[in-house]
Amino acid sequence: MNFSGTLRINKFACFTLLFILFVIIYWRSNGGAYPTDKNEIINLKTLLTAAIHAAEYGGSKVMEGTNRDLIIKSKGKTKEGVNDPVTDADQASHCVMFYGLSKTFPKLTIVSEEHSINDPKCEDQEPFNTDTPPPQHRMIENMNNELVFAKDITIWIDPLDATKEYTEGLYQYVTTMVCVAYKGIPIIGVIHYPFPPDNPQTYWGWLAKKTSSNIANVAYQVEYKENPRVVVSISHQGKVSDMAREAFGPMTTVTTAAGAGYKVMGVVNGSYDVYLHATAIKKWDLCAGDAIIRTVDGKMTTAKGDYIDYSPDADVKVNEGVLVTRYNHDFYLTQISKNLNNKP
C-alpha cells in the first residue's frame, strides 16, 4: 500500500468554505445574528422595479389633479420670498408612493417631502408589483439580483417636484422622484415626467449597472468647457446668473428653469453643462438626480465640493449650494471657489 502519494487540494471547495466563513463573519459583525425576517434582506433589482411603479403611479395622481379644482395651501415663503405651495395633488401622490413602498418593503426607512395624514385610503394601498417592470423597462428583467440589508437602505421620495409651477400650469417642469440610498450614497434614482399626458417619460439609473434606454449618450464637447450652458432656478435667477458669469466668464449662457429634477436631467441629457444652485435645498429634491448623474459618470456636490449624505439621520437640507455637471466638474468647482474667495 502506497502512502507516499501527493495530497491534492480541491481549490473550489476551499474557496467555497472561505466564502461561507466570510459571510458568517460579515453577518455577525453587522448585527450579531442572521436575519430572521425575509424583509430584512432587500433585492435592489426588485426595489428599482417598485421605485419605477411608485414614481409613475404618483405621476398619475399628479395628472388627475389637472382635471379638478386644486386645493392649494401655503407652507410659507422661501428665503427668497417666493411662496412655497402644497396641493391636494402633492398629498395624493405622496399617499400612493409612500404607502405603496411601505407595504412593499416594510423594513425600509422612507423620507418624503410631504407628511402622512390619517387617511384610511392612504393606508390601504396595495404593495407594488416587483416581479414585472413597466413595458418600457423590461431590460431590468435581464439584470442580476443584488441583495443588501434593509437597515442600510433609505428611500427618499418627492411626490411632486415644482409644485409652484404645477399650480401655474407650467407642467413641463413637473416630476415625481424616488431615490434609493445605500449607507447614505445614492445608488438608484427614478425621475418621472407625467406631462405631456400622451408621452410621459421615466428616466432611471442604477449606479455601476445601467440607465434607462431613453437617457442620452452625451459626447464631450470641449468648446463648452470655457463657455458652459448653465441652468439656474427661476426663484433666484438674478443672484446665481451673476455668479455663473463671474465664475465661468461673460460668454456663459444662463437659462432659468424650475424643478431640481428637471434641471439635473437637463445636464444628464446634454441640454446644459452645469446646474448651479446657490441657496438651501432639500435632499428629496436632489437624491434621485444625484444617483442618475453618478450613473452616467457625472457629479453632484455642494458648492464646496463635498458629496451629499443621504443617511436618514442627516440634515434634510443642503445649505452650501449645489453644483451638477456631466463633465469638467473639478474645473467648474475651482472657478466657483475662486469667485467666492474673491468676494469682499
Side-chain angles (χ1 to χ4, degrees):
M1 188 176 293
N2 182 9
F3 292 99
S4 59
T6 303
L7 178 63
R8 295 187 178 182
I9 299 175
N10 187 320
K11 294 182 179 179
F12 178 77
C14 289
F15 173 81
T16 302
L17 178 61
L18 289 171
F19 179 75
I20 292 172
L21 288 173
F22 170 78
V23 171
I24 292 172
I25 293 170
Y26 178 80
W27 263 338
R28 291 194 176 277
S29 65
N30 281 271
Y34 299 107
T36 58
D37 184 339
K38 67 178 183 179
N39 291 317
E40 294 177 2
I41 298 293
I42 299 296
N43 186 344
L44 292 178
K45 177 179 171 179
T46 61
L47 185 49
L48 169 58
T49 298
I52 294 171
H53 284 303
E56 293 187 348
Y57 195 11
S60 70
K61 295 299 180 182
V62 172
M63 278 293 307
E64 289 175 9
T66 64
N67 299 323
R68 64 174 186 272
D69 291 333
L70 285 173
I71 299 173
I72 305 173
K73 299 180 181 179
S74 177
K75 296 179 181 179
K77 290 189 176 182
T78 66
K79 288 184 177 180
E80 295 76 41
V82 178
N83 183 44
D84 185 13
V86 62
T87 72
D88 56 335
D90 292 76
Q91 188 59 42
S93 179
H94 164 83
C95 180
V96 298
M97 292 176 70
F98 181 89
Y99 284 100
L101 287 168
S102 296
K103 292 292 182 68
T104 311
F105 304 101
K107 293 288 186 178
L108 292 186
T109 300
I110 304 175
V111 183
S112 173
E113 177 177 12
E114 307 307 331
H115 299 288
S116 301
I117 57 176
N118 295 324
D119 185 347
K121 292 180 181 178
C122 273
E123 298 176 5
D124 288 343
Q125 293 298 316
E126 293 294 322
F128 292 118
N129 177 6
T130 59
D131 295 325
T132 307
Q136 303 91 332
H137 306 286
R138 287 292 175 84
M139 63 188 293
I140 296 172
E141 294 177 328
N142 299 320
M143 299 175 71
N144 293 328
N145 297 317
E146 186 168 331
L147 305 181
V148 296
F149 289 106
K151 65 183 181 60
D152 293 329
I153 295 293
T154 306
I155 298 179
W156 293 77
I157 63 174
D158 191 339
L160 201 171
D161 190 33
T163 298
K164 179 176 180 293
E165 288 66 32
Y166 176 69
T167 64
E168 297 168 350
L170 301 174
Y171 299 132
Q172 69 269 29
Y173 298 124
V174 173
T175 62
T176 60
M177 299 189 284
V178 181
C179 177
V180 177
Y182 174 75
K183 294 185 177 180
I185 299 171
I187 60 170
I188 291 174
V190 178
I191 297 181
H192 173 65
Y193 288 74
F195 301 98
D198 58 343
N199 188 32
Q201 293 288 321
T202 301
Y203 300 91
W204 57 265
W206 183 356
L207 184 61
K209 302 289 185 179
K210 287 182 181 294
T211 66
S212 55
S213 58
N214 55 351
I215 288 183
N217 183 15
V218 179
Y220 176 62
Q221 295 177 281
V222 67
E223 61 268 26
Y224 288 126
K225 180 178 180 180
E226 301 288 346
N227 304 296
R229 299 162 298 172
V230 180
V231 61
V232 302
S233 295
I234 292 175
S235 60
H236 53 279
Q237 52 185 293
K239 174 183 176 182
V240 187
S241 296
D242 293 343
M243 178 189 296
R245 291 190 178 94
E246 290 174 8
F248 307 138
M251 299 301 292
T252 298
T253 301
V254 180
T255 302
T256 61
Y262 176 91
K263 292 191 282 287
V264 173
M265 286 308 306
V267 176
V268 169
N269 284 325
S271 299
Y272 311 110
D273 305 295
V274 176
Y275 165 31
L276 183 61
H277 190 92
T279 59
I281 187 169
K282 303 293 180 58
K283 290 180 180 178
W284 43 70
D285 294 318
L286 299 174
C287 189
D290 198 343
I292 294 174
I293 197 73
R294 290 181 189 228
T295 306
V296 297
D297 296 324
K299 281 187 179 181
M300 177 188 292
T301 67
T302 69
K304 294 182 177 179
D306 299 320
Y307 286 107
I308 298 167
D309 179 10
Y310 298 96
S311 300
D313 54 350
D315 189 347
V316 299
K317 280 186 181 180
V318 177
N319 295 302
E320 299 84 13
V322 174
L323 177 69
V324 183
T325 64
R326 190 154 181 172
Y327 298 104
N328 301 313
H329 191 88
D330 293 342
F331 171 78
Y332 295 126
L333 190 62
T334 299
Q335 298 303 108
I336 291 173
S337 297
K338 287 179 180 178
N339 179 262
L340 292 176
N341 291 335
N342 289 334
K343 293 290 184 182

